[in-house]
Amino acid sequence: MMSPDELTRLAEELRKLPPRDPEPDDVPSSWLQRDDGTWSAVYPDGMVGEPFSFAQMLAIRGEDIGEVLESLTSAGLIAGAQMTGAELFEGRQE
């Protein structure tokens, strides 16, 4: 097991490394859209990544997805959405 000092030094050295270019297998060769509307990356070796939703993609980019989700839900593009209770705290009741 590494000591706290060793871990600190290792973290500092890792931060100094230049960003690496993705390996060819890390870059999707195509995308698969599933029947439920989620997406998965398809890699050159044929492996399929974990499914993720459009909302998750926006959230990963750091975008505020509240209005986007409301618009998609009201348009019927997101099915099965249920109130969480947060809407009541925001003064919205449906």
Side-chain angles (χ1 to χ4, degrees), residues 1 9 11 21 43 56 58 64-65 69 71-72 86 88:
M1 179 176 243
R9 282 197 307 271
D21 290 331
Y43 296 96
Q56 288 171 315
L58 291 175
D64 179 13
I65 62 171
L69 286 177
S71 298
L72 293 173
L88 299 175

Side-chain angles (χ1 to χ4, degrees), residues 38-94:
T38 59
W39 292 85
S40 294
V42 180
Y43 296 96
D45 63 1
M47 296 298 292
V48 177
E50 292 293 318
F52 64 92
S53 68
F54 181 72
Q56 288 171 315
M57 180 180 67
L58 291 175
I60 289 170
R61 292 183 55 191
E63 295 185 28
D64 179 13
I65 62 171
E67 291 181 8
V68 172
L69 286 177
E70 288 178 21
S71 298
L72 293 173
T73 302
S74 65
L77 298 174
I78 296 179
Q82 298 177 9
M83 288 182 58
T84 62
E87 295 85 358
L88 299 175
F89 291 110
E90 295 174 357
R92 291 182 291 176
Q93 296 181 10
E94 295 179 22

